[in-house]
Amino acid sequence: MAMVHDPRFVEDVPEGRAAIPAFIVCRNAHLLCASCLGDKRSAWPLSVHDTQCPTCHDEMLKSSQPSRAVVIKLDQYTFLCRYADAGCPWKGQVSQETEHAKKLCRFRFLRCGRCGEQYRAGFALEHNELCTELVITCPEGGADCLGAPRSGMYPRSQADEHAKKLCRNRPCRNFPFCRTRTSAANLVPHEPACTFQLEQQASARQEAATQRTLLAQSHAENATLRERAERVEKALKSASEELDKERTRRRELERECDDLADKLRDEIRRYARLAGRERDGGRGGGGGGERRSRDEQRFAPATRQSWSASRSSSVRDDRWAPVHDDASAYSSAGRSRY
Ligand SMILES: [Zn+2]
Ligand SMILES: [Zn+2]
Ligand SMILES: [Zn+2]
Ligand SMILES: [Zn+2]
Ligand SMILES: [Zn+2]
Ligand SMILES: [Zn+2]
């Protein structure tokens, strides 16, 4: 018996049973698979040999019937859909597979009524994306693109012609800056002029942006300068506070100096008195009183006067001279005087 193994059986099937469907081809009920029978039928009647049953060499029957007995035996095995390779997950009995594959399978082929191309039943939407005869709507002007109802609806195969020759709603490529819509022919002169204008606008915008940047920079610089001025002002203020303190300290020192000068004068007077008394005691009376008053005149006013001169000169200078220089000058003057 000429049979072929069918790889769509999930389990191992005993040899000689795996031909689906199996056809009875002679009076002795010998079987042939569909493929072998098809080969013989297509050769028929060119070769006498091919009209004989390959098993018993009897004349083959004019019409062959599928063997129910073989199908019943094979139904105990699991069979895959003929479109399993394309992705169909169906598993079932051999006797059910044809029904599934021809009426239900998502992977069966259908023929498109518009373009005549084949597509798989579960992928109609995918086919519609490609179908050349599917009616689409003008993407620019919509269903009424040319004014009349449905004048913007045409088979996909005519889309190019509509866009190039008929459509009056083609947008300028500078959309959305330019909202001109016209025919493809009118866009040819329009777009270069439009682009030129657009470039001018763009360069004006660029210029404005540059100016804004410069302005922002100068604002920043002003802020920096203001900050620096504030710092200098603060430093100046603390320096002048320091100066005030120094002045106060100097006034205190001057007061102390005046006190010391007064004490010194008193000491000198007392000394002069003592010295006069000593002389008077040694030489007797007369002349001592005169000399004492002369001594007082010589020492006291001179001391007072020199202090005043020193103070006035240092007060005049300290506005400009650095504080420490002035102070050292003062103290050295004070030292030399004592
Ligand atoms: Zn065969
Ligand atoms: Zn036979
Ligand atoms: Zn299937
Ligand atoms: Zn189609
Ligand atoms: Zn259009
Ligand atoms: Zn434009």
Side-chain angles (χ1 to χ4, degrees):
M1 197 193 308
M3 305 276 270
V4 293
H5 177 71
D6 194 317
R8 284 190 286 140
F9 281 104
V10 173
E11 300 93 352
D12 284 337
V13 175
E15 199 183 350
R17 285 194 182 171
I20 292 298
F23 288 93
I24 300 165
V25 294
C26 69
R27 288 175 303 177
N28 300 322
H30 289 132
L31 300 172
L32 262 185
C33 78
S35 167
C36 294
L37 185 63
D39 288 347
K40 281 200 170 291
R41 291 262 189 255
S42 65
W44 203 314
L46 299 179
S47 153
V48 173
H49 176 75
D50 277 334
T51 66
Q52 294 174 350
C53 167
T55 310
C56 65
H57 300 287
D58 258 19
E59 195 71 12
M60 279 170 61
L61 299 171
K62 291 289 178 195
S63 86
S64 310
Q65 295 299 316
S67 165
R68 280 295 299 156
V70 171
V71 169
I72 287 164
K73 279 182 196 157
L74 289 177
D75 264 356
Q76 58 191 294
Y77 300 99
T78 310
F79 200 58
L80 299 178
C81 171
R82 67 192 69 176
Y83 303 119
D85 286 349
C88 180
W90 185 90
K91 284 176 188 168
Q93 292 179 317
V94 170
S95 58
Q96 304 299 313
E97 193 270 347
T98 302
E99 165 96 0
H100 161 77
K102 297 217 159 152
K103 294 185 178 167
L104 303 169
C105 183
R106 291 182 69 232
F107 294 88
R108 74 190 192 276
F109 285 102
L110 297 179
R111 194 166 290 281
C112 175
R114 294 179 297 263
C115 68
E117 294 287 316
Q118 278 197 331
Y119 64 93
R120 292 188 188 271
F123 298 87
L125 291 178
E126 284 81 351
H127 174 73
N128 284 345
E129 292 296 314
L130 303 170
C131 181
T132 55
E133 296 310 304
L134 182 77
V135 173
I136 59 171
T137 301
C138 174
E140 311 299 353
D144 306 337
C145 180
L146 304 181
R150 297 180 65 82
S151 56
M153 298 177 75
Y154 41 79
R156 181 175 279 126
S157 58
Q158 292 172 20
D160 208 43
E161 194 195 356
H162 175 89
K164 283 183 177 158
K165 294 185 182 163
L166 302 172
C167 189
R168 309 231 152 240
N169 288 300
R170 298 284 304 279
C172 170
R173 263 176 295 183
N174 295 322
F175 184 88
F177 300 106
C178 172
R179 296 189 176 266
T180 296
R181 282 180 178 274
T182 183
S183 66
N186 287 344
L187 283 178
V188 172
H190 166 86
E191 280 182 339
C194 178
T195 303
F196 178 69
Q197 272 187 342
L198 212 69
E199 278 164 3
Q200 282 185 324
Q201 283 174 13
S203 76
R205 268 198 302 278
Q206 181 71 44
E207 182 61 27
T210 308
Q211 292 298 336
R212 271 200 301 279
T213 309
L214 289 176
L215 204 62
Q217 275 171 2
S218 83
H219 277 316
E221 275 165 28
N222 280 352
T224 311
L225 285 175
R226 247 200 321 277
E227 218 169 86
R228 212 174 293 165
E230 277 166 16
R231 270 206 303 277
V232 167
E233 219 167 275
K234 219 177 278 177
L236 212 59
K237 196 178 160 202
S238 79
S240 92
E241 278 169 6
E242 197 61 33
L243 202 63
D244 283 347
K245 272 186 224 159
E246 285 295 328
R247 278 183 185 140
T248 309
R249 218 171 295 153
R250 172 170 303 157
R251 270 195 295 277
E252 283 166 8
L253 283 170
E254 280 169 358
R255 250 197 308 279
E256 277 175 35
C257 285
D258 285 346
D259 289 349
L260 284 171
D262 286 345
K263 275 180 200 159
L264 190 62
R265 249 192 331 276
D266 290 346
E267 285 297 319
I268 288 166
R269 273 197 211 101
R270 206 166 58 222
Y271 166 75
R273 262 199 310 275
L274 283 173
R277 215 173 290 158
E278 222 171 85
R279 264 197 311 277
D280 291 346
R283 293 185 193 172
E290 271 176 46
R291 190 172 298 166
R292 187 178 63 202
S293 69
R294 259 208 319 278
D295 284 347
E296 281 177 20
Q297 276 171 3
R298 202 171 72 223
F299 283 102
T303 310
R304 171 70 83 181
Q305 195 180 354
S306 83
W307 271 117
S308 302
S310 155
R311 183 165 53 200
S312 72
S313 85
S314 75
V315 166
R316 203 171 52 243
D317 287 343
D318 70 10
R319 188 168 163 196
W320 305 110
V323 168
H324 67 273
D325 280 353
D326 196 34
S328 73
Y330 185 85
S331 70
S332 73
R335 255 202 320 277
S336 73
R337 213 157 297 284
Y338 287 103

